[in-house]
Amino acid sequence: MLTRDDLHALLPRLEEFHARFGRFFPRSESRAWSRQYLVGLALPIERKNVENIAEQVGGSPRRLQEFLSDSPWNDEGCIEELQRLVGEHMGSEDGVLILDDTGFPKKGVWSAGVGRQYSGTLGRVDNCQVGVFLAYASSRGHTLVDRRLYVLEPWFAATEAARARREHAMVPEDVRFRTKTELGQEMVEAALCNGHLPCRWVAGDAAYGDKHELRQAVAAQDRWYCFEVSSTAEVWTSDPGWQVPAQQGKLGRPRSRPEPTSSSPDAKTVAEVVRELRPRAWTRHRVTEGAKGPREYEFARLRVIEKQHKRPGPAAWLMVRRPVGGPDPKEFKYFLSNAPRTVSLAALARVGCLRWTIEENFELAKGELGLDHYEVTRYRGWYHHITLVLLALAFLKSVQCGWGEKGHPSHGAGDPPTLGGRAAARGMDARVRHRLVREPATAEANRPAVPLAALVA
């Protein structure tokens, strides 16, 4: 239930926001349901599934379920318009595209793509779905801007059981198995092709950064990457000196691929390279504002040659981050970047730490907007629910921007730019939630609240 004050506070902004996406819902009924669903996602109800949202908005659960799982509205058009909106309000030339995935625990075997697999969210192997997401972050803000459902390879097996599961979940016939990295690359390339999100960088954790093909694809798009990599990733700290072997004899085709010579040094893991750094190589940088003040880390970097597909690759920056005074290598984070020599360590540190903003968005979307509350099993239903959650998240971010225009206390004039810590985000989100749905005041508690159906009629 929303109070009268709530109705007058945010309904005009929600209507204006929703109107940008109206053309992607071909029927007036689906446009109305999309608006109701957005409102329902923003409500402080414990479980944001179809039944609970329908009850709150005064609609039919069956009709809302049909809208979510069956209605052929254009969710890809919504995503492109979302990226256009984010570009308008958060776009900056220092923008970063960020890749990560998150798990959704499930019971049963019929939800699209479900199966036993590792989920970083759960920290274990369990029965779940996994979504791969793209986020955008800049000095002006951050939010999620695209999504892909990872469908496990056994779903595409040439067996009757796999075929039955695909049919039950209504997985389109043209969908083929793709790795998480391939799904992430697809989203990055689509965002760059759309051209609505100005960006210079692409970032992600080691699950993505360890993939040579992804780093090569980002470089081919004329973008700089700053990917976290595993401690076992290998590099050379000097020219490996590989050479094309001289042809022996007159027979046979001349050899063209460089090979190591007797004097070529072996590649080393990034952990081995960092162990050899001198104490003066480390520099302290502030990267975010935490609950207890500025959060700082120590960084070091050096130029290296990447090892890609067992061969010398491009020159790159190897950057490492550790807690201040933290000598334990288990706490080190390693990054590879194709940024040029002229890029400062502070810039690399900023991008490397911006990667964590996607985790903050997952936390907000799950905790406040029901990203993981869905109970749909169909492939289209997953995309429709997740798309509407991304729109609801963008709406909350737009309300945050409204607070920021009035001057947020954590960003005073002349303050150095920070990345915005998790605690600061929680504080801002609490104020946004208070504005969305405040508890009735004492004087108002004895009079009826405005039914939510009045909002969406």
Side-chain angles (χ1 to χ4, degrees):
M1 305 289 279
L2 293 179
T3 67
R4 292 180 178 86
D5 286 344
D6 302 324
L7 175 65
H8 294 297
L10 284 181
L11 182 58
R13 289 193 59 175
L14 179 61
E15 293 286 354
E16 180 182 358
F17 176 87
H18 178 264
R20 291 194 61 151
F21 303 92
R23 67 184 184 277
F24 303 112
F25 301 91
R27 300 176 57 190
S28 59
E29 183 181 24
S30 64
R31 285 194 294 276
W33 277 119
S34 66
R35 180 179 52 183
Q36 290 172 312
Y37 202 77
L38 284 176
V39 173
L41 290 172
L43 288 174
I45 54 180
E46 183 175 353
R47 188 75 183 170
K48 298 178 183 181
N49 54 26
V50 165
E51 290 77 11
N52 290 344
I53 290 178
E55 179 182 356
Q56 293 293 321
V57 302
S60 163
R62 182 180 63 83
R63 300 297 295 275
L64 183 56
Q65 184 72 54
E66 290 175 352
F67 160 76
L68 204 61
S69 294
D70 301 324
S71 180
W73 50 273
N74 186 1
D75 53 286
E76 289 302 325
C78 289
I79 289 296
E80 182 173 355
E81 183 63 25
L82 169 65
Q83 293 181 5
R84 181 181 285 109
L85 182 147
V86 171
E88 292 171 2
H89 294 279
M90 299 182 185
S92 174
E93 292 304 318
D94 67 353
V96 184
L97 296 175
I98 306 166
L99 289 170
D100 202 357
D101 52 76
T102 189
F104 305 96
K106 291 293 171 184
K107 296 180 180 180
V109 299
W110 298 108
S111 297
V114 75
R116 289 189 62 79
Q117 56 189 312
Y118 178 78
S119 167
T121 307
L122 303 175
R124 64 181 186 273
V125 174
D126 207 337
N127 195 63
C128 61
Q129 291 172 300
V130 170
V132 182
F133 288 82
L134 182 71
Y136 180 79
S138 75
S139 55
R140 302 174 63 189
H142 53 84
T143 192
L144 302 174
V145 294
D146 205 351
R147 71 286 171 265
R148 293 289 188 278
L149 176 63
Y150 173 63
V151 182
L152 287 164
E153 192 168 11
W155 275 72
F156 301 97
T159 64
E160 184 62 26
R163 184 193 62 79
R165 295 176 80 188
R166 293 195 303 271
E167 288 185 355
H168 185 275
M170 299 187 70
V171 178
E173 292 185 0
D174 61 346
V175 173
R176 297 290 182 266
F177 174 71
R178 286 170 292 174
T179 66
K180 297 174 188 176
T181 305
E182 289 170 338
L183 294 172
Q185 180 179 331
E186 179 182 291
M187 289 189 290
V188 169
E189 292 175 348
L192 295 176
C193 181
N194 289 339
H196 306 311
L197 297 170
C199 69
R200 177 70 270 175
W201 300 87
V202 179
D205 67 12
Y208 296 89
D210 281 341
K211 302 301 187 292
H212 304 155
E213 295 85 357
L214 180 58
R215 300 204 304 266
Q216 291 170 339
V218 171
Q221 293 285 337
D222 195 28
R223 294 302 190 276
W224 301 337
Y225 55 77
C226 186
F227 281 118
E228 186 179 330
V229 295
S230 301
S231 60
T232 54
E234 292 186 317
V235 297
W236 284 274
T237 56
S238 60
D239 185 355
W242 287 28
Q243 297 178 2
V244 176
Q247 184 175 1
Q248 297 180 357
K250 298 181 179 180
L251 299 178
R253 181 178 300 174
R255 301 172 69 176
S256 59
R257 289 169 59 89
E259 300 290 344
T261 67
S262 59
S263 60
S264 295
D266 292 332
K268 297 180 180 180
T269 68
V270 293
E272 291 172 334
V273 171
V274 170
R275 280 200 295 268
E276 298 173 358
L277 292 177
R278 297 179 179 180
R280 65 185 183 189
W282 296 90
T283 304
R284 183 181 299 189
H285 283 284
R286 177 190 300 183
V287 295
T288 185
E289 291 290 342
K292 299 181 180 180
R295 185 176 300 169
E296 297 181 337
Y297 294 95
E298 292 178 340
F299 295 86
R301 68 170 181 172
L302 70 157
R303 296 293 286 180
V304 297
I305 303 295
E306 293 188 18
K307 186 178 183 179
Q308 295 186 354
H309 304 294
K310 301 181 180 181
R311 307 184 67 83
W317 283 112
L318 167 60
M319 180 178 71
V320 59
R321 188 194 80 194
R322 70 181 186 186
V324 175
D328 186 357
K330 294 180 180 179
E331 298 182 353
F332 289 13
K333 295 294 183 181
Y334 306 92
F335 303 83
L336 285 176
S337 175
N338 66 329
R341 288 178 174 272
T342 53
V343 170
S344 68
L345 175 57
L348 281 178
R350 166 190 165 272
V351 176
C353 292
L354 266 178
R355 188 192 73 74
W356 291 102
T357 58
I358 194 170
E359 299 287 350
E360 294 179 8
N361 284 305
F362 287 153
E363 183 178 337
L364 174 58
K366 288 184 176 183
E368 302 289 338
L369 300 172
L371 182 72
D372 56 345
H373 292 184
Y374 63 90
E375 296 175 357
V376 296
T377 61
R378 294 179 178 177
Y379 185 88
R380 173 182 284 174
W382 187 90
Y383 273 89
H384 281 183
H385 169 79
I386 299 298
T387 298
L388 289 168
V389 172
L390 264 58
L391 299 190
L393 179 63
F395 176 69
L396 285 186
K397 297 286 184 173
S398 73
V399 175
Q400 286 183 335
C401 290
W403 283 104
E405 291 166 2
K406 298 177 183 179
H408 190 270
S410 66
H411 295 283
D415 285 350
T418 65
L419 304 183
R422 192 171 292 221
R426 285 197 186 111
M428 178 72 84
D429 296 332
R431 297 170 68 186
V432 171
R433 297 283 300 166
H434 181 68
R435 189 173 179 181
L436 268 172
V437 277
R438 292 189 295 273
E439 291 294 325
T442 303
E444 196 175 38
N446 295 324
R447 66 183 183 186
V450 178
L452 182 60
L455 279 177
V456 293

